[in-house]
Structures are given as C-alpha cells and as structure tokens.
Amino acid sequence: MNAHDGTILPLAPEEVLQRAPEGLGALLVDAVTQGASLGFLAPLDAVEAAAWWSAAAGTHEVWAACGPGGEVLGAVTLVRDGKANGRHRGEIAKLVVHSDARGRGLGPRLLAAAEAHAAATGLTLLVLDTETGSPAERLYRAAGWTAAGVVPDFAADPGGTLRATTLFYKRLG
C-alpha cells in the first residue's frame, strides 16, 4: 500500500483524546464545512468538534486513515449496542474523509476495517443512517449495505435544511 493513500489504524481511547483537538476535530470541521450531514450545524466550532471526539473516546471504537506525516485524513467509528438483546449488533456512527483526501478510496477502506473488526469480535449485524442522495449513500450501497427505508425530514443538514435519511443494515459473517 502506498503511504500517500493513508494507513488505516485503530485508535485506542487515549489516542482519540490526543488527536481530538486537532486531527480528528479538524477532520469533523472540514466535513461539516463541506456540507456533510454528521449531526452538526455550520459553522462547526473547533472546540465543539474536539469535544465530540473526546466524548466518543470512551464509547466508540475509532479507526483513522493517516497520511505519511501522521496527519488524520479520515476516520470511522463503531458503536456497540449495550442492551442485552442487542449485543450482536453495532452502528457505524461517523465515516468521514477530509475533503483534500477524497477520491483515494479511504472511505471504503475505513468502512471495511470497521466491518472486519466488528465481524471478528462477534457482531453479526451493523446499522447506520446517512443523508438520502449523498455521496455516502452511494458508498454504502457499493459496499453491499442494504437500504431498509427512508425517513423524511430526519435531520438538518449543516445549513439547517431538513433532509431525508436512508437507514441501512449489513449482515456480517
């Protein structure tokens, strides 16, 4: 693999905390600035973005795509369901690629890393939601995810306009 394309690394919670203020936070700010619907409104403050990653450090499993200098080019998170009847499933909660690193295949590689880890650790079902018609929706369909339905006016995009979301699932194993 060419280092220019990004090395996918799992990040321990302490590494997420270490990278939250700049690398991961800047990644989230860039994505929201570019119009990605990730749960935030624009403009996203760097402090708020870093705070989200800091909170995620204890609850989300995180993988980062890193450039040759260690810079964060992309990230994905996996959240395990903690309920007794849902321990077989997880959710892909954020899949983000920096606007300067798009078109290198990082999104599919990050997703594949999270999926492989989920399967290797006993999860048999993954779910996610994404803005209907977005580039992310096309990525998930291409990666073999199944659309379960569309919910109108599910969430506001970064500009505040309500948008539909498509719910997806993928069986593992």
Side-chain angles (χ1 to χ4, degrees), residues 6-12 15-16 19 23-24 27 53 61-67 70-77 96 106 109-110 113:
T7 301
I8 309 297
L9 303 170
L11 299 181
E15 292 173 296
V16 174
R19 292 174 182 255
L24 291 167
L27 174 68
W53 285 106
E61 294 177 71
V62 179
W63 291 262
C66 297
E71 66 277 13
V72 177
L73 304 175
V76 64
T77 71
V96 188
L106 294 177
R109 289 180 41 227
L110 283 160

Side-chain angles (χ1 to χ4, degrees), residues 9-155:
L9 303 170
L11 299 181
E14 58 273 9
E15 292 173 296
V16 174
L17 289 171
Q18 181 182 40
R19 292 174 182 255
E22 295 181 12
L24 291 167
L27 174 68
L28 198 51
V29 168
D30 173 72
V32 172
T33 299
Q34 297 296 319
S37 184
L38 295 166
F40 301 94
L41 297 176
L44 176 59
D45 178 81
V47 173
E48 182 181 359
W52 186 89
W53 285 106
S54 293
T59 60
H60 295 51
E61 294 177 71
V62 179
W63 291 262
C66 297
E71 66 277 13
V72 177
L73 304 175
V76 64
T77 71
L78 171 67
V79 181
R80 293 173 182 276
D81 193 306
K83 299 178 197 86
N85 70 346
R87 292 190 183 128
H88 66 288
R89 72 176 180 257
E91 178 183 3
I92 300 296
K94 297 272 185 282
L95 174 58
V96 188
V97 175
H98 196 280
S99 60
D100 291 340
R102 293 193 184 134
R104 299 182 194 176
L106 294 177
R109 289 180 41 227
L110 283 160
L111 183 60
E115 290 174 3
H117 175 78
T121 57
L123 297 184
T124 58
L125 180 69
L126 291 176
V127 297
L128 62 82
D129 68 84
T130 193
E131 184 178 323
T132 303
S134 69
E137 183 180 20
R138 291 187 294 279
L139 179 147
Y140 297 125
R141 288 182 189 279
W145 286 70
T146 301
V150 175
V151 181
D153 297 337
F154 185 78

